[in-house]
Amino acid sequence: MSSQPRGLPLEALQRYFTEHVPEVRGPVEAEILHGGRSNLTYLLTDGYARWVLRRPPLGGLTPSAHDMSREYRVVAALHGTGVPVARPVTLCEDVSVIGVPFSVVEHVPGQVLRSRTDLSRHDDGDVERCAFTLIDGLARLHDLPYRDIGLADFGRPQGYLRRQVDRWYSQWQRVTTRELTDIEKLRGQLAEDGQAESGASVVHGDYRIDNTILDEQDIATVRAVVDWEMATLGDPLADLGLHLVYRDPAFEPVLVGSAASVSERMPSVQSLAERYARASGRDLGRLEYYLALGYFKIAVIAEGIHARYRHGLTVGDGFETVGAAVPELVAGGLRALQVGRPS
C-alpha cells in the first residue's frame, strides 16, 4: 500500500471516512488497482475492511464519461436485484474533499481475467463457460425492469443511437491528436444508416470480461460487474455490439497488447451472438450496425486515453500502445457496415 498514491490525498480522505463511513476502524491506506484506463481505481484498507474508490482521470478531457454520481446511482439501484455488483458505501460530490467527486464501494474478492496469461491458468471448457456466462448475464441485465428499481429517469432510450453517434463524435473533436479521414467516414455512415432502437434497458456501456470480478474457484461464476461509469438507459444491442467488438484483436493494444477478450480460446463472435439471441429472445438482424457503433466508440475512447498519455496525465504503464489501435478500430467499424449493406 502506498502512503500517498497519485491523485488521492489520503489525509483529506481519512477525514471524510471518519465522518461518513461508520465501519472504518483505523488509518486508511491505498494503492492503485490494475485496470481503470479511464476513471482511476484505488484499493483502500484500514487493516480490517477493504473498499474500492473510483475518481475521474487526472486529465478530465472527456468529462461527460466520468460522472461519478451516475455510476454510483446505478450500482446502488442494481444491488440486490440479482445483477452482481459491489455493495455501495458512499458517494462524495463535494470537490473540496479530494479535488474531484468520488465513489466508494465494498471490495469484492475474486479474480479478474485481463490477459492471455490470466486465461492460461484455466482449461478451454472453463474459458468457454465463462464467456457464455458473461453473455447470459448481459441478457439478464437487459431484461431487468429498470422502472421498478428507480431508474425510470436514468436515461432517454428514444433517440439513443443517434445521440451516441453525435456524442462520441463530439468527444473525438475534444480529444483528437491527429487528422483521421476514416473516422469522419465512419461517423457519416453511422448517421446515414441510423435506425430506430431495438428496445430499452439498462446498458452497462463497457461490458467486457475484465470489467467483471470472477470467483476464485470457478471463473463461470461472476461475483461483481464493475466500471459502470458509462451506464444509462438505451438500446441493449449497443451493449452487445460493443462486447463483441472487444473480441477483435484490433482492441488488444488498448490493454497493453494482451487482452483476454481477444484470445483465440474465446468463443467466436458468431457463437457469442447466437448465445445472446437465445438468452434474450432479441432479433439480431442488424447486428452489423451495432458492431460498427461499438468500433466507433472504442476508437474515440482509445484516442482519449492516448491524448492523456501524451499530456502526461495517465497513471501506470502500457499507455504507449493505445494510439496505434485507433485507426485499426475505425477500419473495423467501416468493414462491419459494409457487411451489413446490400450488394
Side-chain angles (χ1 to χ4, degrees), residues 337-343:
L337 283 180
Q338 191 62 39
V339 169
R341 290 185 168 189
S343 55

Side-chain angles (χ1 to χ4, degrees), residues 50 107-113 212-217 223:
R50 304 177 99 192
H107 175 261
V108 177
Q111 58 179 310
V112 179
L113 301 180
T212 63
I213 299 171
L214 308 174
D215 186 80
E216 286 284 4
Q217 305 303 319
R223 294 299 180 197

Side-chain angles (χ1 to χ4, degrees), residues 65-180:
H66 310 293
D67 187 335
M68 306 310 299
S69 63
R70 287 185 60 80
E71 182 174 15
Y72 189 82
R73 180 185 173 190
V74 71
V75 169
L78 292 173
H79 187 251
T81 65
V83 174
V85 293
R87 180 181 67 86
V89 175
T90 186
L91 169 69
C92 178
E93 298 181 278
D94 182 356
V95 298
S96 70
V97 177
I98 69 168
V100 292
F102 65 90
S103 65
V104 179
V105 298
E106 187 176 56
H107 175 261
V108 177
Q111 58 179 310
V112 179
L113 301 180
R114 296 186 178 88
S115 68
R116 286 188 176 90
T117 300
D118 294 333
L119 287 180
S120 70
R121 300 193 298 267
H122 306 281
D123 64 34
D124 290 347
D126 285 343
V127 170
E128 181 180 74
R129 286 194 308 117
C130 176
F132 287 143
T133 294
L134 294 179
I135 287 288
D136 293 345
L138 189 62
R140 282 196 299 274
L141 171 66
H142 294 161
D143 285 342
L144 195 69
Y146 59 85
R147 295 180 181 87
D148 296 349
I149 58 172
L151 293 178
D153 62 344
F154 192 60
R156 293 178 295 141
Q158 187 173 5
Y160 170 81
L161 294 175
R162 181 53 190 256
R163 289 196 307 275
Q164 282 286 291
V165 175
D166 292 344
R167 173 196 173 184
W168 289 106
Y169 184 65
S170 175
Q171 300 286 37
W172 172 265
Q173 292 176 311
R174 180 185 293 272
V175 304
T176 183
T177 65
R178 69 189 99 180
E179 290 187 12
L180 193 58

Side-chain angles (χ1 to χ4, degrees), residues 9 102-103 135 150-151 159 196 218 242 248 257 262 270 334:
F102 65 90
S103 65
I135 287 288
L151 293 178
D218 179 14
L242 184 65
D248 190 328
V262 310
Q270 180 178 353
L334 291 171

